[in-house]
Amino acid sequence: MFLTPSAKRLASAAAGLALAAATTAVLAPSAGAAPSAATATRSASATPAPPSPVSCSDCWQPDVQTSWNWVISTVPTAPYRNVQMYDVDGFNNTAANVSALHAAGIKAVCYLSAGTYENWRPDASQFPSSVLGSGNGWPGEKWLDIREIQKSNSVLRTIMDARLDMCRQKGFDMVELDNVDGYTNSTGFPLTAADQLYFNATLANDAHSRGLSVLQKNDDEQIPQLLPYFDGALNEQCNQYKECTTAQNGDYGYDQYVAAGKPVFQAEYNLATSKFCSADNTNDFNGVRFDLDLDDKTFEPCR
């Protein structure tokens, strides 16, 4: 399932700082000591630079202004809402469901949780126990050790690529990769921003290599680095937490996607449309108010 970003980020900050402090205390050498073998190993195994972006001329490139609906906890059926795009669960929706959306003139986005293990998914048994971390607040979900994808024979990449193959085979147009901001949460692993950047960029490239466009989900702080890899962005609650734009954040913001000609799909749960739609429309974001369960019961678009 999905996470409401900022609230959980703030809740986990103290734990994350504690983990970092403990790790530093254990790893730091005493003053004047020569570098240990462990230190040398850590240096040798530093996070590699992210791969160069893979372009996708055949991918669907949505317009900056693209109307949308987000339905994850159920499978939508006709009659559909009058929008250009539906973002739906990649496992629960069949090829026939995707074809039905296409027949109605609607593009289909394949929702996948890339950063967490979900114990109800059909491929759950393929995840090695070594990559399963702390719970992320949703029943049956655990954060993943995304550093494993840096291995040449990565099991995690094999699993995620099989999921992307599933999206392609079902006929989806685009992928939403969820929970790709683990480094800002208490995952049980000492993940870094560099680890996250490598993971996100790698999976975006793997989507493009399959002819699928891809949305950046949250991970606000890395927008400037991830922008070349992604075809748009999906954000939760940036208006509620006042973190939508570069002017608010300092050096990153979803306005950077719009400036690059790429759409921003913005979701709010707790704010009334009167509290955020004016800002979303001004920023040229595709803002909608939903229920947290994303069950299609609440749909209040800004435009």
Side-chain angles (χ1 to χ4, degrees), residues 1-3 111 113 115-116 136 141 143 177-182:
M1 200 56 183
F2 53 92
L3 293 173
Y111 169 92
S113 182
T116 64
N136 74 340
E141 281 197 62
W143 289 105
L177 301 175
D178 197 11
N179 296 313
V180 291
D181 55 357

Side-chain angles (χ1 to χ4, degrees), residues 64 227 254-262:
V64 168
L227 183 57
Y254 289 96
D255 54 301
Q256 295 174 15
Y257 266 97
V258 174
K262 301 178 181 182

Side-chain angles (χ1 to χ4, degrees), residues 1-294:
M1 200 56 183
F2 53 92
L3 293 173
T4 50
S6 296
K8 285 188 170 61
R9 229 169 28 232
L10 292 172
S12 66
L17 289 172
L19 174 62
T23 302
T24 300
V26 171
L27 296 180
S30 58
S36 66
T39 301
T41 300
R42 286 196 302 275
S43 298
S45 61
T47 305
S52 298
V54 170
S55 61
C56 186
S57 59
D58 295 332
C59 288
W60 173 54
Q61 302 295 335
D63 294 332
V64 168
Q65 294 189 9
T66 298
S67 56
W68 70 300
N69 193 13
W70 200 13
V71 185
I72 301 300
S73 61
T74 187
V75 174
T77 56
Y80 304 109
R81 299 191 185 276
N82 184 25
V83 296
Q84 298 164 286
M85 183 186 99
Y86 262 66
D87 189 342
V88 300
D89 187 274
F91 283 99
N92 295 342
N93 285 264
T94 65
N97 297 135
V98 175
S99 293
L101 287 168
H102 287 163
I106 299 170
K107 295 292 187 179
V109 179
C110 186
Y111 169 92
L112 299 173
S113 182
T116 64
Y117 162 85
E118 301 164 308
N119 67 4
W120 65 92
R121 297 301 191 186
D123 59 359
S125 64
Q126 299 176 24
F127 288 84
S129 60
S130 59
V131 303
L132 306 185
S134 303
N136 74 340
W138 291 93
E141 281 197 62
K142 294 181 178 180
W143 289 105
L144 293 172
D145 187 352
I146 60 170
R147 297 171 300 171
E148 198 274 344
I149 206 170
Q150 299 165 23
K151 297 180 178 179
S152 60
N153 59 343
S154 168
V155 175
L156 191 54
R157 187 172 185 180
T158 298
I159 294 170
M160 293 303 161
D161 282 352
R163 291 181 170 191
L164 293 173
D165 288 337
M166 174 192 69
C167 295
R168 179 186 57 185
Q169 290 160 6
K170 289 182 178 181
F172 281 99
D173 305 287
M174 179 178 257
V175 179
E176 176 206 338
L177 301 175
D178 197 11
N179 296 313
V180 291
D181 55 357
Y183 80 105
T184 67
N185 290 272
S186 295
T187 63
F189 305 109
L191 304 181
T192 66
D195 294 326
Q196 194 70 64
L197 182 61
Y198 185 93
F199 182 80
N200 295 2
T202 296
L203 291 186
N205 280 353
D206 289 355
H208 279 171
S209 70
R210 288 160 173 78
L212 295 164
S213 49
V214 58
L215 290 173
Q216 178 185 335
K217 175 70 172 294
N218 298 323
D219 194 12
D220 308 358
E221 293 90 341
Q222 293 192 317
I223 287 173
Q225 293 78 31
L226 292 174
L227 183 57
Y229 295 90
F230 288 83
D231 305 288
L234 196 160
N235 167 268
E236 297 169 287
Q237 298 175 279
C238 72
N239 286 290
Q240 179 174 340
Y241 295 102
K242 298 180 175 57
E243 56 186 22
C244 291
T245 66
T246 307
Q248 292 171 312
N249 301 323
D251 57 0
Y252 61 88
Y254 289 96
D255 54 301
Q256 295 174 15
Y257 266 97
V258 174
K262 301 178 181 182
V264 174
F265 301 98
Q266 205 279 311
E268 294 291 340
Y269 307 114
N270 301 317
L271 297 181
T273 53
S274 61
K275 299 296 185 180
F276 72 91
C277 278
S278 177
D280 273 1
N281 291 342
T282 297
N283 291 323
D284 218 1
F285 298 167
N286 301 293
V288 185
R289 181 178 178 271
F290 299 105
D291 284 335
L292 182 61
D293 289 336
L294 297 178

